[in-house]
Amino acid sequence: MWKVYLRQIVRLLRENKFFSVVYILGTALSVAMMMLILITYHIKTGNIGEEDKRDRTAYITRGYGVHIKDGSGNSSAFLSPFMIEKWFYPVKTAEIVCNLTKGSSLVYNAREQRYEELSATYTDAAFWKLFSLRFVAGRGFNDAEVKGKSSQVVMDVTTARRIFGTTDAVGRSVNIDWQDYTVCGIVADVPTYLADASSRIYVPYTTNAYAYREWGSSDVKVGPAFCLFLMPSHDDLPALKQELEHQVRMMNAPCKKYCFSLREQPTDILGQALKLGNPDVSVEGQQGTLRAICIILALFLIVPALNLSSLIVARMRKRAEEIGVRKAFGASTANLMLQVLVENFVQMLLGGAIGLLLSYGMFQVVRSALLANLNSLFQGGGYEGISTLSFWHVIDLTTVGYVLVICFVLNLVSTLLPAWRYARVPIVDALNKR
């Protein structure tokens, strides 16, 4: 039976070339528009590249100062690294707690005898466990070096070649922000759209005056950092929240006028993505963003489906005689409907494949707008722009699955009613093309 369907599909493609081209291109455009949104979602939330543990990561990117008596104030800023050390490092629910600050540093290029401003990540030894960076040479700095304020630096391949002319730079000295550092490792370049893992240089946060500081009132201290937690499972997020609430209560015990609050944090990767770069967006705001995205996807699905449905009706009218003959030879309504659904689904898959490639090309054009990370921009790490999107960060099982689902739903919505209608036409009427 399936061989018959395939032969029928090939025949239809050859006989109705104009219809087939319009149908496939219409599907491709619909898929491409929906995939722009879904690829953005995948790039921001999927376990891809060096950020392959996002599904188990929780984020605290903001701290809030709240008046103890009436709850007023609610000023916000990034976190104090000293607060993270004292109150967040001891958390037992998480496997890894990472102190992270994004910024930029002046790196002296001895070959060209000038300073260059490069994106920098100031962090701790947990960073190398949380993110899967690939070391080309050397290693990352360890806990003892971070606590001892050892001036170690890890740089990416591009920076090593720019500064030293080679990736064989482990053990060499480099001046960063007018301080001498020793290169302990070289890592492969990380795309900038993987904003948490990406950087040109990585240094212990304890060695940098910008990262290792705090400010604020006597009650509430803030700083330039944010905190990431790697949980055993995403299901541990409520337990992590509960433990952090306990830590915050202990932190606030001596406060007199203002107290510290995490509000609805920590958030998972989906909540982080739905903030759209604004760290102060509430859960209600995140839910509103999600509803808006769902409405847009539904419109991208329903409107093209209605247009494709009218094309299918026109084709079914031309095939009325064929349907009548098949019914005369015993074909059931279910078989006729299945045939039409399969025929159109295969054509939609062709359109889906073209749409996926089209969406990849379109994404490269608008990636800067879709993947902008405002947190990174606020902290000085986003000025280098968004890297060209890796083909294999898009064309994987997840995005192929998106295309299959879109094509299936689009096929069902646009084809089911015309197929059901014409499959039930009486034989005599079908043969008379009524």
Side-chain angles (χ1 to χ4, degrees):
M1 182 174 62
W2 295 104
K3 291 181 179 179
V4 174
Y5 288 168
L6 289 174
R7 284 198 296 269
Q8 181 74 358
I9 291 166
V10 173
R11 184 180 67 81
L12 289 172
L13 289 172
R14 288 175 177 174
E15 288 181 357
N16 302 290
K17 293 180 181 178
F18 176 76
F19 174 89
S20 299
V21 169
V22 171
Y23 190 82
I24 291 171
L25 291 181
T27 302
L29 187 58
S30 300
V31 170
M33 297 306 294
M34 283 186 278
M35 286 304 298
L36 280 179
I37 297 174
L38 294 174
I39 288 174
T40 304
Y41 169 80
H42 178 60
I43 293 296
K44 285 181 171 289
T45 65
N47 293 335
I48 59 174
E50 288 75 11
E51 297 185 11
D52 57 357
K53 304 180 186 72
R54 285 171 166 175
D55 60 332
R56 297 192 291 126
T57 303
Y59 302 78
I60 296 179
T61 57
R62 217 67 173 162
Y64 299 87
V66 180
H67 198 283
I68 292 176
K69 290 185 178 179
D70 57 15
S72 62
N74 217 24
S75 60
S76 67
F78 293 104
L79 306 177
S80 159
F82 303 101
M83 175 201 303
I84 295 173
E85 289 175 351
K86 183 175 181 180
W87 299 106
F88 294 168
Y89 275 169
V91 167
K92 294 181 172 57
T93 308
E95 295 177 349
I96 295 171
V97 181
C98 180
N99 183 337
L100 193 64
T101 297
K102 290 287 183 177
S104 61
S105 286
L106 292 174
V107 181
Y108 186 67
N109 186 335
R111 297 173 67 221
E112 299 185 12
Q113 297 185 341
R114 63 185 177 87
Y115 278 94
E116 298 182 2
E117 187 176 16
L118 301 177
S119 60
T121 295
Y122 317 103
T123 187
D124 53 26
F127 182 89
W128 312 114
K129 299 176 184 178
L130 181 60
F131 301 107
S132 301
L133 277 72
R134 182 174 64 87
F135 277 86
V136 175
R139 58 170 179 82
F141 39 81
N142 56 40
D143 280 323
E145 290 168 333
V146 174
K147 292 176 182 177
K149 301 183 179 181
S150 177
S151 298
Q152 304 291 317
V153 60
V154 174
M155 58 180 59
D156 68 1
V157 167
T158 295
T159 302
R161 288 175 177 159
R162 182 185 300 175
I163 301 299
F164 302 109
T166 177
T167 56
D168 185 19
V170 174
R172 299 179 70 168
S173 179
V174 60
N175 188 277
I176 302 174
D177 294 330
W178 299 279
Q179 179 179 342
D180 288 331
Y181 281 78
T182 300
V183 178
C184 64
I186 307 293
V187 295
D189 293 3
V190 182
T192 57
Y193 53 81
L194 301 179
D196 292 332
S198 177
S199 189
R200 291 302 181 193
I201 60 172
Y202 306 83
V203 299
Y205 73 95
T206 53
T207 65
N208 185 272
Y210 166 73
Y212 202 47
R213 60 179 177 142
E214 66 178 5
W215 60 89
S217 66
S218 58
D219 287 340
V220 179
K221 297 291 186 180
V222 294
F226 52 98
C227 193
L228 280 63
F229 303 83
L230 183 66
M231 304 172 289
S233 165
H234 183 273
D235 295 335
D236 293 306
L237 183 60
L240 177 62
K241 285 186 175 182
Q242 186 175 4
E243 186 174 3
L244 286 168
E245 286 172 2
H246 172 72
Q247 294 296 93
V248 169
R249 283 196 298 270
M250 292 178 61
M251 185 194 314
N252 287 331
C255 294
K256 298 178 180 178
K257 186 176 181 181
Y258 289 93
C259 65
F260 178 81
S261 172
L262 292 175
R263 287 205 331 196
E264 294 124 340
Q265 300 177 101
T267 57
D268 59 11
I269 186 61
L270 177 59
Q272 195 70 5
L274 291 175
K275 290 181 179 181
L276 300 180
N278 183 352
D280 295 323
V281 173
S282 65
V283 170
E284 290 78 10
Q286 296 168 30
Q287 292 172 347
T289 301
L290 185 59
R291 284 193 296 269
I293 292 172
C294 290
I295 290 171
I296 293 171
L297 285 172
L299 290 175
F300 279 147
L301 182 67
I302 294 171
V303 173
L306 293 175
N307 292 329
L308 292 173
S309 182
S310 63
L311 289 174
I312 293 168
V313 168
R315 172 184 268 184
M316 296 298 290
R317 284 175 182 168
K318 292 182 179 181
R319 298 179 62 189
E321 222 174 70
E322 173 198 333
I323 292 171
V325 171
R326 289 206 61 199
K327 292 192 74 171
F329 279 91
S332 65
T333 299
N335 283 336
L336 290 171
M337 288 182 64
L338 179 62
Q339 178 185 346
V340 175
L341 287 168
V342 170
E343 289 170 359
N344 288 303
F345 183 64
V346 171
Q347 293 181 74
M348 280 193 169
L349 284 181
L350 294 174
I354 296 172
L356 181 56
L357 296 176
L358 180 62
S359 65
Y360 175 77
M362 294 168 65
F363 201 94
Q364 296 289 17
V365 176
V366 297
R367 64 182 185 274
S368 295
L370 294 176
L371 295 177
N373 186 295
L374 296 187
N375 277 349
S376 182
L377 290 173
F378 291 152
Q379 295 182 298
Y383 62 91
E384 292 182 352
I386 304 297
S387 302
T388 299
L389 190 66
S390 169
F391 184 79
W392 299 112
H393 285 170
V394 176
I395 311 301
D396 63 0
L397 291 177
T398 301
T399 48
V400 170
Y402 287 152
V403 171
L404 289 174
V405 171
I406 291 170
C407 288
F408 177 78
V409 175
L410 197 59
N411 180 50
L412 206 62
V413 173
S414 63
T415 308
L416 189 60
L417 184 59
W420 177 79
R421 176 185 170 187
Y422 279 92
R424 294 179 67 253
V425 171
I427 295 174
V428 175
D429 290 344
L431 291 173
N432 289 319
K433 295 186 178 181
R434 292 182 185 178

